[in-house]
Amino acid sequence: MTADTTEPEKHAADPADRRREQRGWYFYDFACSVYSTSVVTVFLGPYLTSVAKAAADADGFVHPLGIPVRAGSLFAYAVSVSILVAVLVMPLVGAAADRTGRKKPLLAVSAYTGAAATAGMFFLSGDRYLLGAFLLIVANASLAVSMVLYNAYLPQIAEPDERDAVSSRGWAFGYTSGALVLVLNLVLYSGHESFGLTEGMAVRICLASAGLWWGAFTLVPLRRLRDRHVRPQGEGAVGGGWRQLMATLRDMRRHPLTLSFLLAYLIYNDGVQTVISQASIYGSEELGLEQTTLITAVLLVQVLAVAGALGMGRMARSYGAKRVILGSLAVWTLILAAGYFLPAGAPVAFFFLAAAIGLVLGGSQALSRSLFSHLVPRGKEAEYFSAYEMSDRGLSWLGPLVFGLAYQLTGSYRDAIISLVIFFAAGFVLLARVPVRRAVAAAGNPVPERI
């Protein structure tokens, strides 16, 4: 490895300054979570599938680049491709951020690229399934890159004993904005005729508005977060990006317990991300539920996820983040089993399932993020969080791929959904084997009383 010439990045000395940065940091979740909720979880899956079906041949296949793809699998495959693109970019961005100390400009570029691609979904109509897939790939990859930089601020703006609470509040801000915008989406979509709009136009407005929201509220963290200074580097950050990536991977071998956590997280989070992105497809195509029912169910998830994130954050103070995460994985397994047997055309049962998802979704993600922040060596936040983000979004390509292949081969979304149980079961076993207190000490960080 090359010598580390960066100055140690310190927390804000003044608690008031630290709280100001924390409040600004929360607002990026507030900005970008609308994309995850309104676009990925609710509208784009069913809408892009309908656009692909309009372009499909008599056998129900479209042919991007000459490859036969079942129209119902296109969305899942596009999600997988977007994640593979992010895998190539995220380590370079993480290395560049740590080498230059300039996280904020990189955050701005990635956030506004994603916001612009999302706003461009307004033009997705007719049989333009290739345009929809392209914009999804750009927006999803941009979100993943921006989250590398966003998450890398957490160890800098929060003391070790604060991180569970700060991370949980960030997720709560995101779910609050998702719920607020979904209410507006529900009003527009359900009353589109009274507004003089077609159903397709209403969906396109909902998609584009998520991009505008993302861009507008990104201004808050860009104003409040600050970059930490580093000494000048002898080599350009981007030019040395791949060499820095290899150095980072070699460095991570010195922290095998951190890698063990990442492996567990990679597996169980793959299941979480696939459930989030494919839930609307499952509800609309397999269960035959109306779009308004799906919006209402996701709204219920958003509302309960706020309480779940905050509640599980408080539970972590008493029982430790690891135990609470393990409990949430057991609940996720039960949720998928219940979803497999869920009868078609039963919105009430679907709402109960959505409520259960909401209660564990935010907490399992927030506590995973805060737990990992304890395992990162000081001064390598962006590099290590690029690896974390590869696990969060960057390597979560296997679940959507398996989901899409299962449907392509069987024509049944029930077979696709039950395949995700293995991700939660395997993740549970691997996480249970990680000695987190030893992992924190091995990374050179102070060990909290409860973890």
Side-chain angles (χ1 to χ4, degrees):
M1 285 188 59
T2 57
D4 182 10
T5 58
T6 61
E7 297 176 359
E9 296 185 289
K10 300 178 180 179
H11 308 296
D14 185 349
D17 289 341
R18 193 168 69 247
R19 286 193 295 272
R20 184 178 186 275
E21 279 199 273
Q22 288 171 2
R23 287 191 292 269
W25 185 81
Y26 299 149
F27 266 92
Y28 191 67
D29 254 323
F30 191 84
C32 69
S33 291
V34 171
Y35 166 81
S36 299
T37 303
S38 291
V39 177
V40 176
T41 306
V42 177
F43 286 108
L44 188 58
Y47 186 67
L48 181 57
T49 299
S50 69
V51 172
K53 287 182 176 179
D57 59 22
D59 296 322
F61 285 81
V62 291
H63 300 269
L65 304 178
I67 302 170
V69 173
R70 192 185 291 271
S73 297
L74 177 71
F75 177 71
Y77 289 155
V79 171
S80 287
V81 171
S82 73
I83 292 165
L84 292 174
V85 171
V87 166
L88 298 176
V89 179
M90 285 191 300
L92 300 179
V93 172
D98 279 336
R99 290 169 65 88
T100 65
R102 293 177 60 80
K103 295 181 181 68
K104 196 155 64 170
L106 294 169
L107 176 62
V109 170
S110 55
Y112 283 108
T113 299
T118 306
M121 292 177 186
F122 177 80
F123 301 102
L124 177 59
S125 62
D127 59 357
R128 299 176 180 173
Y129 74 94
L130 284 176
L131 173 64
F134 172 75
L135 293 175
L136 169 60
I137 290 168
V138 172
N140 238 28
S142 297
L143 177 64
V145 170
S146 72
M147 292 301 291
V148 169
L149 303 155
Y150 168 69
N151 287 334
Y153 276 102
L154 179 59
Q156 299 172 353
I157 65 173
E159 299 291 348
D161 290 337
E162 298 178 303
R163 291 180 198 165
D164 286 347
V166 170
S167 182
S168 296
R169 288 189 201 112
W171 283 107
F173 262 62
Y175 287 118
T176 299
S177 72
L180 174 61
V181 173
L182 271 181
V183 169
L184 300 176
N185 291 159
L186 181 60
V187 171
L188 178 64
Y189 180 83
S190 60
H192 62 269
E193 292 181 352
S194 62
F195 292 108
L197 301 172
T198 64
E199 181 179 352
M201 177 61 75
V203 171
R204 289 160 55 198
I205 291 174
C206 291
L207 293 171
S209 65
L212 298 177
W213 181 283
W214 185 358
F217 284 99
T218 295
L219 293 172
V220 178
L222 292 180
R223 286 181 61 86
R224 293 205 170 186
L225 293 173
R226 65 183 181 87
D227 283 331
R228 273 65 175 173
H229 296 292
V230 297
R231 295 191 185 103
Q233 302 296 301
E235 182 179 27
V238 175
W242 282 109
R243 284 180 288 278
Q244 182 62 57
L245 169 60
M246 298 309 298
T248 300
L249 294 176
R250 288 194 297 271
D251 184 71
M252 291 183 73
R253 291 170 58 188
R254 296 170 50 223
H255 302 281
L257 297 180
T258 299
L259 282 175
S260 296
F261 172 82
L262 270 178
L263 176 61
Y265 179 72
L266 181 155
I267 292 173
Y268 71 73
N269 186 67
D270 204 340
V272 172
Q273 295 298 324
T274 307
V275 171
I276 292 171
S277 65
Q278 306 302 320
S280 288
I281 288 282
Y282 185 72
S284 63
E285 299 294 323
E286 184 68 34
L287 303 181
L289 300 176
E290 298 291 334
Q291 188 74 49
T292 51
T293 300
L294 299 176
I295 296 172
T296 304
V298 175
L299 179 59
L300 180 62
V301 170
Q302 297 299 111
V303 172
L304 292 178
V306 175
L310 297 176
M312 289 176 66
R314 292 191 184 96
M315 290 175 63
R317 297 177 194 170
S318 301
Y319 303 105
K322 176 183 172 180
R323 288 189 180 91
V324 177
I325 294 169
L326 287 172
S328 74
L329 297 182
V331 175
W332 274 110
T333 303
L334 294 174
I335 287 171
L336 286 179
Y340 178 78
F341 294 105
L342 204 65
V348 175
F350 192 73
F351 289 149
F352 275 109
L353 200 65
I357 290 173
L359 289 174
V360 295
L361 175 59
S364 59
Q365 292 179 316
L367 292 179
S368 296
R369 177 170 64 185
S370 63
L371 179 56
F372 181 71
S373 73
H374 293 285
L375 310 181
V376 178
R378 184 67 58 85
K380 298 181 180 293
E381 290 86 359
E383 290 180 42
Y384 273 62
F385 266 107
S386 72
Y388 174 87
E389 190 63 23
M390 286 172 68
S391 301
D392 188 358
R393 287 177 174 84
L395 290 185
S396 295
W397 55 269
L398 184 58
L401 180 61
V402 168
F403 191 95
L405 284 173
Y407 178 76
Q408 176 126 351
L409 295 174
T410 68
S412 170
Y413 285 108
R414 292 186 188 272
D415 293 336
I417 202 73
I418 199 62
S419 68
L420 303 180
V421 169
I422 189 63
F423 292 99
F424 295 103
F428 182 98
V429 172
L430 291 173
L431 178 59
R433 295 169 59 87
V434 178
V436 292
R437 299 186 71 84
R438 266 203 296 136
V440 174
N445 294 322
V447 182
E449 182 178 351
R450 294 283 185 184
I451 192 169

